[in-house]
Amino acid sequence: MVADCCRILRVPRSTFYRWLAIGKGPKSLRIPNGDRRISRKEWVKWLAEQELD
């Protein structure tokens, strides 16, 4: 969930959504109510990629 990701990374929700919008965030799914969901697999993969940068 986006709120958990923001808490872990200590970034505002707006920053995280901006990363998603410009393609710099983890892959996510938009569910019918408009929320976003991020799978644990994608989250771990994305975090590992950030460590390389």
Side-chain angles (χ1 to χ4, degrees):
M1 185 177 277
V2 172
D4 294 329
C5 296
C6 293
R7 182 181 48 78
I8 291 167
L9 296 173
R10 297 181 185 172
V11 297
R13 196 176 194 103
S14 60
T15 298
F16 196 79
Y17 276 108
R18 187 171 357 115
W19 292 345
L20 293 176
I22 63 174
K24 293 195 175 206
K27 290 183 183 177
S28 63
L29 298 173
R30 186 179 303 245
I31 59 175
N33 70 0
D35 286 349
R36 294 231 180 217
R37 295 290 187 253
I38 301 165
S39 73
R40 183 178 304 272
K41 179 181 172 184
E42 288 299 328
W43 171 247
V44 170
K45 179 182 168 188
W46 180 78
L47 281 177
E49 291 170 356
Q50 302 316 301
E51 291 177 0
L52 298 176
D53 291 341

